Amino acid sequence: MTQPASRGAGSRSPLLTLDTVEKSFGSNRVLQDVSFKIRPGEVIGLLGENGTGKSTLMNIVAGALTPSGGRIRYADAEHRFGSIAESIQAGIAFVHQELSVIGSLSVGENLFLGDLPRNRVGLVDFPKIRLASRAMLDAIGATWIDPKMPAGTLRAGEQQLVEIARAAARKPRLLILDEPTSSLTPHEVSAFLSYVTRARTEGTAIIFITHRLEEAMTICDRLLVLRNGAIVADRVPGETSKEQIIRDMTGKDSPFAYRGRAQHQGDIALNLSGICDGGHLEDISLTVRKALNVRMTDDRQLITTLSGGNQQKVIFARALLSDPRLLLLDEPTHGVDVGAKSELYEIIRNAADQGLSVIVASSELPEITALCDRVGVLSKGRLAGVLERDRINDETLLRLAFSEHEGQAC
Ligand SMILES: Nc1ncnc2c1ncn2[C@@H]1O[C@H](COP(=O)(O)OP(=O)(O)O)[C@@H](O)[C@H]1O
Ligand SMILES: [Mg+2]
């Protein structure tokens, strides 16, 4: 889906203006010198690695946090929201990163939480809730979600859509979405994105936090990149590239490029032959080689590389310090932002270069193409094929993953 980059928002006066906003928690300076404007009908993507201050910044805009410095103007007046209630009153809707639906209540009750309509005798008007809920869900394309269902029985992505429906129904002037698509399926994403397109034509200003760059580049008029609490780039999607945005976010080049491997083919480290499990797996044969047989010489150096507080990196460090010969990684970067991914890829490649054999189970194609020297593709419990480096690309991987043939070598 391709959107025109601008929808005339540029001619309107700003709805929200941040001027040199700062925020510190004690001695921890989280935001510094943040200035930007957003106009009615404009969609801004707010991008940045984990912990860089995106949610804090949006909490300030939504009145949940007070800035330590700077000025904010909203709708031609000084921004002085002392509470979330005041910002809601002023037309700001914030869909938070964390899900907040109440599982034991129905979808409809969640949509009207705190404001349940009553009938003439003072009882909750369930028929009215159901009717209005249907319209609220349909408005964001979530036509299949039943308002009568207990919200706790919905998948995480569907719960997120309920929260978006609740925010959208208020017809906000400014809608803030903090990673709204992280647990949506492709079908749900496309329903959600058509809602965003419609809302912007009605003049809603939207700030959209996401880790999905393709999505941000498709839907946003501008992309703001936050790094270490400061805005380091303000870009127009049609005039930039994914690689540039990744460089903005990390200060480094894309982690998604294969950087080659040590030159020698090592001895065989693991050989599977005709493996079955009596259930899903049938006749799996696979060989994993060492690269060079060099032991890690300086464990301290490795720990330095791993510092940075990321939990996944600590788990890696622990696994590597036991000096294994074979490392099994199951979706090693699931839910990890692009910068931490780059560091994890570097660690995995370095370990492989030093003689460790690594098997990565991954459903992310860029990850497989960036990391692997050889790929075995499983399809319906069988090894559909094994690809050597020069044949590893999205097309061959997908073709094998969706292949119907049985154990055919490629
Ligand atoms: N209430 C708080 N008290 C202290 N530190 C906080 C608080 N909220 C966020 N931080 C810190 O601010 C930094 C930015 O966090 P956050 O805004 O959640 O980042 P992001 O949304 O970009 O992942 C982190 O270092 C986090 O630990
Ligand atoms: Mg956040």
Side-chain angles (χ1 to χ4, degrees):
M1 184 169 57
T2 310
Q3 303 292 334
S6 172
R7 281 146 208 89
S11 55
R12 306 189 194 179
S13 60
L15 175 67
L16 175 76
T17 305
L18 274 75
D19 181 12
T20 59
V21 167
E22 314 263 329
K23 180 68 188 177
S24 297
F25 293 104
S27 60
N28 184 13
R29 197 168 184 212
V30 171
L31 294 172
Q32 47 186 320
D33 197 20
V34 173
S35 302
F36 73 89
K37 294 181 168 85
I38 182 166
R39 297 168 198 279
E42 197 175 19
V43 182
I44 289 188
L46 184 59
L47 308 173
E49 297 183 29
N50 290 337
T52 202
K54 303 181 297 295
S55 297
T56 302
L57 183 60
M58 291 303 104
N59 274 312
I60 289 173
V61 171
L65 288 172
T66 318
S68 316
R71 280 179 316 184
I72 304 179
R73 285 187 72 77
Y74 175 79
D76 294 325
E78 188 110 355
H79 173 294
R80 291 193 186 281
F81 304 141
S83 68
I84 297 170
E86 280 178 46
S87 81
I88 290 175
Q89 199 63 37
I92 297 179
F94 188 177
V95 177
H96 288 266
Q97 200 168 356
E98 305 80 24
L99 289 170
S100 66
V101 296
I102 298 174
S104 56
L105 297 181
S106 70
V107 168
E109 287 167 294
N110 270 284
L111 287 171
F112 283 90
L113 212 56
D115 190 22
L116 290 173
R118 308 258 161 193
N119 59 20
R120 270 173 299 145
V121 287
L123 298 174
V124 175
D125 191 342
F126 284 107
K128 185 171 179 183
I129 289 178
R130 281 204 276 277
L131 210 62
S133 299
R134 179 72 277 141
M136 286 161 81
L137 291 161
D138 288 352
I140 61 148
T143 50
W144 69 95
I145 297 180
D146 181 352
K148 296 197 292 296
M149 296 276 283
T153 62
L154 301 180
R155 284 180 302 101
E158 292 170 329
Q159 294 188 15
Q160 214 157 16
L161 287 174
V162 171
E163 301 205 13
I164 293 168
R166 185 163 58 195
R170 290 197 216 117
K171 302 262 178 229
R173 299 178 75 179
L174 174 65
L175 175 61
I176 302 168
L177 299 155
D178 197 347
E179 299 195 32
T181 58
S182 51
S183 49
L184 301 190
T185 63
H187 177 65
E188 291 163 353
V189 168
S190 87
F192 162 74
L193 292 183
S194 9
Y195 157 69
V196 169
T197 308
R198 207 171 46 252
R200 68 138 57 97
T201 57
E202 289 166 8
T204 305
I206 299 173
I207 301 177
F208 181 26
I209 299 178
T210 182
H211 283 311
R212 298 185 176 185
L213 294 191
E214 281 95 357
E215 218 167 82
M217 295 185 85
T218 305
I219 202 77
C220 298
D221 299 304
R222 277 163 58 212
L223 302 173
L224 294 180
V225 181
L226 208 55
R227 191 166 84 226
N228 298 329
I231 291 180
V232 294
D234 181 347
R235 300 192 186 277
V236 174
E239 298 166 10
T240 187
S241 65
K242 200 173 149 187
E243 287 68 32
Q244 178 60 57
I245 298 291
I246 291 171
R247 270 197 297 277
D248 292 336
M249 285 168 69
T250 61
K252 299 180 210 139
D253 281 330
S254 167
F256 302 125
Y258 178 76
R259 67 160 167 78
R261 63 172 162 182
Q263 282 179 344
H264 306 272
Q265 281 267 22
D267 296 336
I268 291 173
L270 175 75
N271 198 3
L272 303 179
S273 176
I275 300 290
C276 303
D277 72 346
H280 293 302
L281 299 178
E282 276 181 67
D283 194 21
I284 307 286
S285 302
L286 198 65
T287 304
V288 182
R289 290 179 184 276
K290 299 180 181 178
L292 287 170
N293 192 12
V294 179
R295 291 174 66 85
M296 287 171 215
T297 49
D298 187 351
D299 283 353
R300 273 169 308 164
Q301 192 189 343
L302 188 63
I303 296 171
T304 319
T305 326
L306 293 165
S307 68
N310 186 297
Q311 205 185 350
Q312 198 73 345
K313 281 182 241 165
V314 175
I315 293 169
F316 268 52
R318 211 166 44 199
L320 288 173
L321 287 173
S322 70
D323 204 8
R325 293 162 69 183
L326 175 66
L327 184 62
L328 305 176
L329 301 171
D330 189 0
E331 301 285 356
T333 61
H334 181 76
V336 168
D337 71 62
V338 90
K341 258 186 196 169
S342 142
E343 288 177 56
L344 290 170
Y345 292 170
E346 195 62 22
I347 294 165
I348 296 168
R349 288 294 334 171
N350 282 341
D353 284 351
Q354 296 192 33
L356 185 69
S357 303
V358 186
I359 302 181
V360 185
S362 175
S363 49
E364 288 192 37
L365 295 185
E367 178 159 295
I368 296 167
T369 47
L371 273 180
C372 301
D373 301 313
R374 214 139 46 82
V375 180
V377 182
L378 285 172
S379 171
K380 301 197 175 105
R382 285 179 156 262
L383 199 58
V386 176
L387 297 170
E388 295 294 332
R389 182 64 229 171
D390 56 353
R391 298 204 53 211
I392 299 174
N393 58 54
D394 289 6
E395 195 195 331
T396 50
L397 286 168
L398 284 172
R399 198 146 10 98
L400 281 177
F402 295 111
S403 64
E404 294 295 326
H405 58 199
E406 303 198 346
Q408 198 175 307
C410 276

